[in-house]
Amino acid sequence: MRDTLHHSPDARLSTLPGATIIRRIRRLLLWGLGTALVYTGLSAASKGLCRGGATGDGGYLDADGRATTAVPLCVDLVLRPSPVVYVAIAAIALIAITLVLRRSADEASALRTLDRAVILIVAVTAAWLALTLVSFMSIPLDAWDGGERFWIPFTFGNVDIDVSPMQSGG
């Protein structure tokens, strides 16, 4: 009895030398694209705060609840994906392909390099996403004094800040 099973190649798959590596490179590129799409969808968020408010008679309240004629300001923060992640995905893929071309002695080592690149792409993107969301959620809106400037600490994503007058509710 044979110790190994013999599988003949699927008729749809190429028998071209290196076809296995080309398929693995295609897999790497698809994982990179899929990871970038997931990152794009999950790294969008927003939050905002208005200091003060409106009274029923057309007046306004300041941040301390006192009546005022000045329209209170609101701050809106919008988190967008960081281009750093897309550059990292592309760099990892290109470096992996370069390493396969320069250092792989056989097909098995080439496949290992490409598989590790996929793992690295997913891990780097997931870590960056987690850091982005944590840093965005930790931005202290309560510390804003209601003035025209809003300062944010370092975040791992792109944050657009809009300080504008409060919109009337009607």
Side-chain angles (χ1 to χ4, degrees):
M1 188 190 295
R2 300 173 101 186
D3 291 336
T4 61
L5 296 175
H6 175 71
H7 294 281
S8 59
D10 189 344
R12 296 174 297 167
L13 299 178
S14 174
T15 57
L16 175 72
T20 303
I21 295 173
I22 293 171
R23 280 192 295 276
R24 199 62 62 96
I25 291 171
R26 179 181 61 193
R27 179 177 164 255
L28 168 69
L29 296 175
L30 289 173
W31 268 99
L33 178 63
T35 303
L37 290 174
V38 169
Y39 170 73
T40 300
L42 294 179
S43 64
S46 66
K47 64 181 182 176
L49 175 71
C50 291
R51 289 285 186 193
T55 62
D57 60 1
Y60 297 100
L61 300 173
D62 66 9
D64 297 322
R66 295 182 302 246
T68 183
T69 58
V71 179
L73 294 177
C74 298
V75 63
D76 291 310
L77 305 178
V78 178
L79 175 66
R80 301 199 189 291
S82 173
V84 171
V85 174
Y86 305 118
V87 170
I89 291 171
I92 292 168
L94 290 174
I95 290 169
I97 293 169
T98 302
L99 288 175
V100 166
L101 290 172
R102 288 187 182 169
R103 296 189 180 158
S104 294
D106 57 6
E107 186 176 272
S109 66
L111 296 177
R112 247 188 332 272
T113 300
L114 295 171
D115 288 343
R116 288 176 182 160
V118 169
I119 293 168
L120 187 60
I121 285 172
V122 172
V124 165
T125 305
W128 192 276
L129 176 63
L131 289 171
T132 298
L133 293 176
V134 167
S135 68
F136 181 73
M137 298 314 284
S138 67
I139 295 173
L141 281 180
D142 293 337
W144 181 53
D145 64 0
E148 292 184 15
R149 297 194 47 92
F150 183 81
W151 178 84
I152 60 170
F154 176 76
T155 59
F156 287 86
N158 289 339
V159 179
D160 295 331
I161 303 169
D162 180 33
V163 178
S164 59
M166 184 176 75
Q167 300 294 317
S168 61

